[in-house]
Amino acid sequence: MSNSWYEKTALEIRDAVRAKKVSALEVTDSCLKRIEEVDGKLLAFIDVWADAARKQAQAVDAKIAAGKDPGPLAGVPIGVKDVLCTKEGTTTCCSKILKGYRSPFDATVIERLAEAGAVFPGKLNMDEFAMGSSTENSSIQRTRNPWNLDCVPGGSSGGSAAAVAGHECAVALGSDTGGSIRQPAACCGCVGIKPTYGRVSRYGLVAFASSLDQIGPFTKDVTDCALVMNTIFGRDPKDSTSADIPVPDFTKALTPAVKGLRLGLPKEYYTDALGAEMRDKIQAAIKVLESLGAEIVEVSLPHTDYAIATYYIICTAEASANLARFDGVRYGYRAPGVANVDEMYRKTKSEAYGHEVRRRIMLGTYVLSSGYYDAYYLKAQKVRSLIRRDFMDAFKQCDVIVTPTSPTPAFKIGEKTADPLEMYLSDIYTISVNLAGIPGLSMPCGLTASGLPAGLQIMAKPFDEETLLRVAYTYEQKRGFEMGMPAALRG
Amino acid sequence: MKYEAVIGMEVHVELNTQSKVFCGCSTKFDAPANTNVCPICLGMPGVLPVINKRAVELSVAVGIALNCTISRWSKMDRKNYFYPDLAKNYQISQYDLPLCANGCLEIQVNGSTKRIGITRAHLEEDTARNTHTIGGGDSGVDFNRCGVPLLEIVTEPDIRSAEEAYAYLTSLKQILRYLDVSDCNMEEGSLRAEANISIRPVGSKEFGSKTEVKNVASFSGVQKAIDFEIARQQQVIEGGGQVVQETRGWDADKGITFSQRAKESAHDYRYFPEPDLVPLVVDEAWEAQIAATLPELPRARKARFVSQYQLSEYDSGVLTAERPMADYYETTVQCGVPAKPAANWIMGDLQALLTEHKLEIGACKVTPENLASMIALIEDGTISGKIAKDLLPELFATGKSAKALVEEKGLVQISDTSELEAVAREIIASNPGPVADFRGGKEKALGFLVGQMMKATKGKANPQMANDIIRKELAKTE
């Protein structure tokens, strides 16, 4: 076992910290040093809070010294996607329009994690307002893939994925509206879950598409994922859409037992659009589970073809309203030299938003316009119901659905920036999960010939994260390989 | 050609909840600018609304009082437009599924009853208040009002005159005040009324182009503005022109409406369901629970006052105009005093004192129990009505009990025959002139002598007894 604390899992860290084998401060220092060493290459962090993180670690150590319970995530360094409100530092969504903005409050997830003893080393890069699949839409920097620095880390939570895969922090928080946790987790070779809609409070998550957004963790393994879920799941009176459903101890679901479980393979996902190499990796993973007694069932999700169109109508419509508040009146960027309020709105938004954000605001405004609403927004809502029904029907025949996370491994930086539609296809296997509101997890299922991670996606019934974790844990235990240190960071 | 007016009213009323509709901030009026604010009502990044249950209950109460159907399932929607009075640049409102719909309100105009249809009443959030420096420069935004719960009550185009509009507003306000859902203070903006006005030839089924008159500060202003608009539109049409569909303001000083904004530039509000809130479900049990809290409404109460207390229509109307006054009256009567004198004292001397001191009945120091005990003292002959008239201002000023004050000041009426006979003899002895006049047949002189008796007893003499006794004494000493 390596002596470097930054390489450890959250479980290892919290056990060692609680057992006083190491102080939270030592762990934090190890993590901060690691960031100093590798983030120049990865560009995952946009802000490092060395002083604040050390103070938080010292507070955990003081608790332990005083004989108090330091919490289930004592001393675990957790990086935070810049879409989450934090009193520490700034909260900008990597947009020029919120440059320098300081939130007066912590998101509910941050409060809960802090209460559990977590330490926050800083803020992580993302596509501006979580709109993108490569983190290239950040107004700040372009994060690199730890497996190949010429490749993107995926997106929109690319900073979070790269930071965990690059061992800069044990855990990172992301948000997933159409695949923004699972797709970068697949690209970078870590575990990422998009919980059931309503599982995690969205209070303090800067909204992109309110009916699709969920916060979730990036972790090094499935066990850590369960550990973090235990803390961040649960009803929050500040979020009316958060579900009042009991939160089990997810670590209890971590048993390698899939005998008799039915794995659904949607025929619409296994088409020619899926590259041969990816298909092989997924099939190998399914074989592992099958060999352990899981049953394979072919299922159908007949409205899959409409998912991307439906998604881009609903998410842009909601985004067009959610982003309206960034107007230069109360906070954030305000264009100088304007004659009146209309000009202020126009210039502020034109100057401060990037291309993708502007494109989506225009799309969303259009689909809600009088005369177009019925044809676009209303129809998309109806199709969304059909997509949800597809899943509910499929889950009558299976316990979980297993698919690839993304049709291809991470692509080259700049490769898809010129063609937004091509970029949108990166999420072809992930967006239906958000439309249906069900949980989805991505985990590594090997490396391609070019040395890039492939991602396996597992979906489950609403609020059945336990079964999902059980399948993921079983595969992780039995897959027969370790991801190890990413290629670009070895040596 | 003869024309008739077609008028619909939109009333916005701020609900008097303790906290705002989507956050915990106070709704108190008049706080220093931007002190009743938080990240939620300021529309900071990352915040979410949580609906105020009380605001829903008050809305439903109004809906029930206005005979509306309460939606079992409704939702909130986002109404999108850019303006600095909106923190989020969308207002959370209700579009196609309002909480309350298809109701009616009966109004009385010139002695007859008319039913005004209520199209809908929906819940939304109030906007901030913008202030501008005269002559340009910076504008300020005060977000204290942003997020105060607002109920928008919309009528069918059933109103045919300014008088009917006035009656509708008065009647609506009376109900809202009875329900205690709002202060309905137009000056503070807790009630705002807008009129949609068009005219058409009598007998026509089509509607003419309408104008919307906004920002009127009083009900009588609304009445005047409507009268002005009807006349103006008629003039336009008779002059061969066409009424422009637009929003018009009201200049109370000049007594005219003026063009504010043409409807062509009207917004496309791009309404869509608010994804941050779950659907609003008001099941039968909850509706029944709210209905059970509803007080007797003004029309029913007035009718009951006529039958139960045998008061006139007029008196019943005055006493039931405001719920606290009606409550005051009924509490007084329940103390066991007769209904009519109680009504007279409250509508007469007590109301005069309230008016003089600009007080509401709720702030009156004379409790109903106290007033009742004063009336009881008159009824049992302990004090005279005259004494009571002098006593009431003191009760009003001090809040002391009538009994205590009567005893303290020794105001108990003298009904002792021998005591009054002695006074009478003294008055006769010291007023030979008037005595002679009376005996000479001048009945008027008796009044003077009784007056002297009242004076000598500091008003405490039982007036009827004083009269009888001095008459007897005058006969004796003749």
Side-chain angles (χ1 to χ4, degrees):
Chain A
M1 195 188 268
S2 159
N3 289 321
S4 312
W5 285 104
Y6 67 81
E7 278 188 77
K8 309 267 191 232
T9 65
L11 181 73
E12 287 165 344
I13 291 170
R14 79 104 196 250
D15 282 349
V17 167
R18 289 175 68 99
K20 299 190 195 175
K21 285 183 183 151
V22 65
S23 70
L25 187 60
E26 279 172 80
V27 175
T28 302
D29 280 335
S30 165
C31 158
L32 291 169
K33 187 156 170 280
R34 172 71 175 175
I35 294 169
E36 214 169 275
E37 281 167 8
V38 303
D39 207 57
K41 285 185 197 168
L42 293 182
L43 301 169
F45 278 86
I46 57 161
D47 196 7
V48 178
W49 304 332
D51 292 345
R54 285 200 183 94
K55 271 189 197 143
Q56 290 153 7
Q58 280 164 336
V60 171
D61 289 334
K63 256 191 180 174
I64 294 169
K68 291 182 196 150
D69 185 348
L73 293 169
V76 175
I78 301 184
V80 181
K81 186 181 182 182
D82 199 30
V83 74
L84 290 163
C85 292
T86 49
K87 282 195 270 190
E88 187 64 37
T90 59
T91 299
T92 74
C93 298
C94 292
S95 177
K96 194 180 159 192
I97 211 158
L98 280 173
K99 194 175 176 189
Y101 173 76
R102 300 180 75 91
S103 176
F105 64 93
D106 278 330
T108 297
V109 281
I110 299 294
E111 283 181 351
R112 289 190 178 177
L113 290 169
E115 184 69 21
V119 170
F120 305 104
K123 279 275 176 86
L124 293 160
N125 199 25
M126 59 185 277
D127 283 302
E128 183 180 9
F129 286 106
M131 296 176 183
S133 306
S134 67
T135 315
E136 291 166 292
N137 295 330
S138 165
S139 74
I140 298 169
Q141 62 199 20
R142 288 187 168 183
T143 299
R144 310 296 164 131
N145 192 309
W147 294 88
N148 180 339
L149 298 178
D150 294 330
C151 288
V152 300
S156 66
S157 314
S160 305
V164 171
H167 297 282
E168 294 181 293
C169 44
V171 176
L173 290 174
S175 64
D176 189 317
T177 307
S180 280
I181 290 174
R182 291 158 289 153
Q183 186 260 8
C187 288
C188 292
C190 48
V191 176
I193 187 171
K194 195 290 289 183
T196 308
Y197 186 81
R199 268 299 198 185
V200 181
S201 168
R202 292 184 295 116
Y203 194 80
L205 168 68
V206 182
F208 157 18
S210 313
S211 74
L212 301 160
D213 296 343
Q214 269 295 285
I215 298 166
F218 288 84
T219 55
K220 294 176 185 178
D221 63 20
V222 176
T223 304
D224 280 6
C225 191
L227 210 57
V228 177
M229 284 158 66
N230 278 352
T231 296
I232 66 172
F233 276 30
R235 166 86 185 155
D236 176 11
K238 289 182 193 158
D239 177 1
S240 309
T241 65
S242 69
D244 197 3
I245 288 180
V247 179
D249 178 356
F250 288 109
T251 59
K252 296 218 168 98
L254 304 176
T255 51
V258 291
K259 203 169 167 58
L261 268 185
R262 296 163 303 166
L263 313 185
L265 308 187
K267 60 178 183 197
E268 293 81 1
Y269 282 53
Y270 293 92
T271 63
D272 293 342
L274 178 62
E277 202 183 3
M278 273 297 190
R279 178 193 298 260
D280 291 348
K281 293 284 163 206
I282 303 302
Q283 275 169 353
I286 292 165
K287 277 268 167 343
V288 170
L289 291 166
E290 203 178 3
S291 71
L292 296 165
E295 237 176 83
I296 308 300
V297 203
E298 187 188 83
V299 294
S300 176
L301 301 167
H303 295 90
T304 298
D305 277 354
Y306 305 103
I308 286 201
T310 302
Y311 173 79
Y312 277 97
I313 289 169
I314 291 170
C315 81
T316 58
E318 292 179 10
S320 74
N322 282 331
L323 271 62
R325 69 188 64 190
F326 308 112
D327 58 7
V329 174
R330 287 144 297 133
Y331 48 77
Y333 179 75
R334 180 190 288 183
V338 292
N340 56 53
V341 70
D342 285 331
E343 198 188 335
M344 183 176 91
Y345 291 146
R346 212 168 14 247
K347 282 192 78 177
T348 297
K349 285 174 178 279
S350 302
E351 288 173 13
Y353 284 144
H355 287 290
E356 186 57 29
V357 172
R358 275 186 275 164
R359 178 158 39 235
R360 294 199 192 185
I361 289 173
M362 283 190 279
L363 247 171
T365 305
Y366 178 78
V367 300
L368 289 174
S369 301
S370 156
Y372 297 99
Y373 181 88
D374 289 2
Y376 292 108
Y377 187 78
L378 195 63
K379 178 155 284 171
Q381 287 292 11
K382 289 177 182 167
V383 178
R384 183 178 183 175
S385 307
L386 296 174
I387 290 171
R388 191 180 294 128
R389 207 172 65 191
D390 282 355
F391 277 98
M392 296 313 126
D393 288 345
F395 281 124
K396 286 173 191 160
Q397 299 160 51
C398 62
D399 301 297
V400 293
I401 291 173
V402 179
T403 75
T405 306
S406 188
T408 62
F411 44 89
K412 289 270 160 56
I413 289 172
E415 191 182 318
K416 295 186 180 178
T417 42
D419 187 351
L421 285 180
E422 179 70 17
M423 187 77 89
Y424 293 172
L425 290 176
S426 306
D427 297 330
I428 188 165
Y429 300 133
T430 48
I431 54 177
S432 293
V433 166
N434 300 76
L435 290 168
I438 61 174
L441 173 144
S442 178
M443 64 190 299
C445 60
L447 293 176
T448 61
S450 52
L452 288 165
L456 176 75
Q457 180 174 229
I458 309 167
M459 311 166 185
K461 290 171 204 159
F463 302 102
D464 189 15
E465 282 90 355
E466 286 168 285
T467 305
L468 193 162
L469 286 175
R470 182 144 60 96
V471 176
Y473 181 77
T474 307
Y475 172 64
E476 191 181 61
Q477 295 299 303
K478 308 292 179 184
R479 68 186 171 187
F481 65 88
E482 291 288 328
M483 288 302 284
M485 184 58 71
L489 302 176
R490 279 177 209 153
Chain B
M1 199 182 296
K2 285 200 78 173
Y3 291 91
E4 72 168 356
V6 177
I7 301 160
M9 300 295 304
E10 281 174 31
V11 170
H12 284 88
V13 58
E14 282 183 353
L15 300 174
N16 58 6
T17 51
Q18 290 290 306
S19 56
K20 293 185 180 181
V21 63
F22 299 122
C23 65
C25 289
S26 164
T27 54
K28 199 177 161 293
F29 180 76
D30 238 9
N34 293 313
T35 53
N36 289 340
V37 294
C38 72
I40 297 171
C41 57
L42 286 173
M44 308 291 263
V47 299
L48 295 170
V50 174
I51 201 159
N52 182 331
K53 190 178 174 194
R54 185 79 191 130
V56 177
E57 286 173 345
L58 296 182
S59 304
V60 169
V62 173
I64 296 170
L66 297 178
N67 310 296
C68 291
T69 305
I70 306 302
S71 302
R72 287 282 159 263
W73 196 95
S74 66
K75 63 180 170 71
M76 305 305 292
D77 297 282
R78 290 186 183 177
K79 177 181 182 181
N80 296 283
Y81 64 95
F82 278 90
Y83 203 64
D85 67 1
L86 270 182
K88 307 180 290 295
N89 287 315
Y90 59 81
Q91 180 189 30
I92 304 179
S93 180
Q94 295 194 283
Y95 182 50
D96 53 339
L97 292 170
L99 257 178
C100 320
N102 301 324
C104 67
L105 174 61
E106 287 187 344
I107 59 167
Q108 307 269 342
V109 181
N110 299 326
S112 60
T113 301
K114 178 167 177 176
R115 179 173 290 202
I116 307 297
I118 304 289
T119 314
R120 59 188 280 158
H122 72 252
L123 182 60
E124 60 187 26
E125 56 180 335
D126 208 347
T127 57
R129 201 189 291 270
N130 290 352
T131 50
H132 309 283
T133 340
I134 293 166
D138 288 341
S139 292
V141 191
D142 176 4
F143 286 93
N144 284 351
R145 197 181 70 180
C146 193
V148 168
L150 206 57
L151 189 69
E152 181 175 331
I153 305 163
V154 183
T155 72
E156 291 290 299
D158 288 345
I159 297 168
R160 291 288 170 271
S161 69
E163 211 181 353
E164 285 180 16
Y166 183 86
Y168 167 75
L169 290 173
T170 313
S171 188
L172 178 67
K173 179 180 167 182
Q174 198 182 32
I175 289 173
L176 296 173
R177 300 259 305 178
Y178 254 69
L179 297 172
D180 195 20
V181 297
S182 175
D183 310 331
C184 297
N185 187 330
M186 286 189 97
E187 277 168 23
E188 292 181 1
S190 61
L191 187 149
R192 286 161 249 161
E194 293 157 31
N196 287 295
I197 308 151
S198 64
I199 62 167
R200 64 183 174 192
V202 170
S204 165
K205 290 273 177 255
E206 315 252 303
F207 292 124
S209 307
K210 67 179 180 185
T211 57
E212 187 179 0
V213 180
K214 277 189 164 176
N215 301 324
V216 192
S218 67
F219 289 172
S220 58
V222 173
Q223 188 172 2
K224 283 179 201 151
I226 292 173
D227 273 333
F228 179 88
E229 248 330 88
I230 294 171
R232 187 191 68 85
Q233 290 187 11
Q234 192 165 339
Q235 224 170 14
V236 168
I237 291 169
E238 284 174 349
Q242 278 189 326
V243 174
V244 180
Q245 186 168 325
E246 62 183 354
T247 300
R248 295 179 72 86
W250 168 246
D251 185 328
D253 294 334
K254 294 188 188 143
I256 57 164
T257 65
F258 58 93
S259 177
Q260 273 189 326
R261 173 161 63 90
K263 218 46 178 183
E264 290 89 77
S265 65
H267 292 93
D268 174 0
Y269 290 121
R270 291 175 278 116
Y271 281 100
F272 74 101
E274 169 56 270
D276 286 333
L277 291 166
V278 292
L280 214 45
V281 177
V282 182
D283 59 19
E284 271 171 58
W286 194 17
E287 185 186 336
Q289 205 182 322
I290 296 165
T293 66
L294 252 57
E296 187 180 19
L297 293 174
R299 285 199 62 196
R301 200 165 196 187
K302 181 182 166 187
R304 183 168 60 78
F305 272 31
V306 170
S307 63
Q308 184 176 345
Y309 302 119
Q310 270 91 50
L311 298 178
S312 68
E313 283 273 336
Y314 176 80
D315 287 358
S316 300
V318 171
L319 287 171
T320 56
E322 293 273 353
R323 187 173 155 196
M325 180 60 94
D327 289 346
Y328 188 98
Y329 173 75
E330 294 216 87
T331 314
T332 306
V333 173
Q334 276 153 19
C335 291
V337 298
K340 185 65 187 164
N344 288 345
W345 277 102
I346 292 170
M347 291 163 59
D349 290 59
L350 188 64
Q351 184 56 56
L353 285 164
L354 289 169
T355 309
E356 188 191 331
H357 293 91
K358 297 192 174 67
L359 282 180
E360 297 288 332
I361 190 78
C364 179
K365 280 189 186 168
V366 187
T367 63
E369 293 76 13
N370 204 359
L371 182 72
S373 85
M374 186 193 87
I375 296 170
L377 289 174
I378 305 168
E379 292 295 319
D380 70 11
T382 309
I383 57 170
S384 65
K386 165 105 184 46
I387 290 277
K389 269 187 179 301
D390 295 338
L391 194 62
L392 190 61
E394 236 179 307
L395 296 179
F396 188 86
T398 62
K400 283 186 181 165
S401 94
K403 249 189 187 132
L405 207 60
V406 164
E407 273 167 29
E408 180 188 318
K409 301 199 128 199
L411 295 175
V412 175
Q413 188 163 255
I414 302 168
S415 304
D416 180 88
T417 314
S418 59
E419 197 181 338
L420 287 176
E421 280 169 356
V423 177
R425 280 193 291 271
E426 248 172 64
I427 297 295
I428 289 165
S430 53
N431 290 286
V435 168
D437 286 349
F438 175 77
R439 288 181 179 149
K442 281 190 183 167
E443 269 288 320
K444 255 188 164 177
L446 185 72
F448 173 80
L449 292 168
V450 172
Q452 290 302 302
M453 269 188 82
M454 297 306 287
K455 201 175 165 186
T457 57
K458 295 197 178 88
K460 289 188 287 180
N462 180 322
Q464 194 52 51
M465 285 179 74
N467 205 304
D468 294 347
I469 285 170
I470 200 152
R471 210 180 261 280
K472 269 185 210 155
E473 289 300 321
L474 281 166
K476 267 190 206 164
T477 52
E478 207 167 348

